[in-house]
Amino acid sequence: MDFGLRGKTALVAASSRGLGRAVAEELAREGCRLVVCSRSEDAIEAAADSLREHTGADVVAIPADLTDPAGVDQVVRTAVDRFGQIDVLVTNTGGPPAGPFEAHSAADWTHAVRQNLDSVVNLTRAVLPGMKGRGWGRIVNVTSIAVKQPVDGLILSNSVRAAVTGFAKTLANEVASFGVTVNNVMPGYTRTERLDELAARISESKGTSVEEAFASWEASTPMGRIGEPREFAAVVAFLCSERASYVTGVSVQVDGGAVKSLL
């Protein structure tokens, strides 16, 4: 299937590793020019080198902190200077710390909002006028199955990612007539560094092994296994494509059946 993405410019946030890196690689293989970013200059340069080597894509790597509006401006300005426009935006950030409500300070909440909501809003604000003006654009937000089925011990993520979902659904209705789609993709238990960190946290708090944490996640997933980043990235790439032109305002779970709700 031709996704119609060859020659498009895609900005993929937090793409030095994990889901962001997998999405960047998938879009590169579909022929996109890439803008990748991360807070770590060394990590994002290494990721960009690898992407160029394995896909032949034209890649710009930008170290930036997306919790800071100045970081967002830097990334978007550099992307436009290099490629002229941004056609595809994939918002993505690291997950906020785990723990129950009383373990998190007011500062923790503020940082979670800046990291997981404000960065999405600011990136969208920066790229949307160009997309509307050209009559074509794709915005895909990486959220979590916690939006549909809250995960114990992840109150920050459960709360803030739900806010992103409300933002995206509302925006999708506002910009649909301009040829811009806005969707969310919700990863389930997927083999990334984030899952390793959560397993370690569970192991420490419950006095169990990391292996037991993974076994519990596998047991709660009808497919009986942890997902792979490339499986998640394939769904994101479709939503970024020309073929997905009539899909907007939806949240798609990529979770091996872990969410038990009907909708």
Side-chain angles (χ1 to χ4, degrees):
M1 180 184 293
D2 180 3
F3 277 3
L5 286 171
R6 188 160 302 280
K8 300 288 189 185
T9 299
L11 165 54
V12 184
S15 40
S16 65
R17 64 178 192 168
L19 296 178
R21 168 69 176 275
V23 169
E25 182 166 346
E26 192 76 13
L27 292 176
R29 294 191 186 283
E30 291 297 327
C32 284
R33 303 176 298 184
L34 286 179
V35 181
V36 295
C37 62
S38 167
R39 286 175 297 179
S40 168
E41 182 173 2
D42 290 344
I44 200 61
E45 289 291 354
D49 287 342
S50 178
L51 287 165
R52 294 183 192 106
E53 179 183 354
H54 290 98
T55 69
D58 192 351
V59 185
V60 174
I62 309 167
D65 181 357
L66 298 181
T67 66
D68 182 352
V72 172
D73 291 342
Q74 177 191 359
V75 170
V76 173
R77 185 174 60 253
T78 303
V80 172
D81 287 346
R82 174 66 179 270
F83 295 125
Q85 63 193 56
I86 297 171
D87 304 294
V88 173
L89 169 65
V90 180
T91 74
N92 177 46
T93 58
F101 173 69
E102 292 179 330
H104 300 300
S105 66
D108 293 333
W109 280 91
T110 297
H111 183 73
V113 169
R114 286 176 178 167
Q115 180 179 31
N116 298 103
L117 175 61
D118 290 353
S119 65
V120 175
V121 173
N122 291 333
L123 282 166
T124 301
R125 181 184 291 115
V127 305
L128 187 59
M131 291 179 175
K132 289 173 64 178
R134 292 185 296 275
W136 198 97
R138 299 288 183 265
I139 299 172
V140 179
N141 306 303
V142 178
T143 59
S144 168
I145 58 168
V147 169
K148 285 194 174 183
Q149 186 168 287
V151 178
D152 291 344
L154 292 183
I155 192 167
L156 293 177
S157 182
N158 296 344
S159 302
V160 181
R161 295 193 193 282
V164 172
T165 304
F167 164 75
K169 180 63 174 178
T170 308
L171 181 66
N173 294 338
E174 294 180 3
V175 302
S177 64
F178 294 93
V180 179
T181 66
V182 185
N183 295 293
N184 309 303
V185 185
M186 305 177 293
Y189 298 112
T190 310
R191 201 174 303 281
T192 63
E193 294 85 347
R194 168 69 167 171
L195 206 62
D196 292 336
E197 293 164 2
L198 291 177
R201 175 65 183 263
I202 292 170
S203 174
E204 180 181 352
S205 64
K206 294 187 175 182
T208 57
S209 68
V210 167
E211 290 74 20
E212 286 176 289
F214 275 92
S216 173
W217 292 327
E218 290 169 350
S220 69
T221 302
M223 283 194 173
R225 64 177 177 86
I226 302 298
E228 297 296 334
R230 60 181 175 76
E231 295 175 303
F232 176 84
V235 176
V236 175
F238 171 72
L239 290 175
C240 293
S241 75
E242 180 64 40
R243 293 299 187 98
S245 57
Y246 203 58
V247 180
T248 195
V250 303
S251 290
V252 181
Q253 59 214 49
V254 185
D255 66 348
V259 170
K260 304 303 189 291
S261 65
L262 292 176
L263 299 174

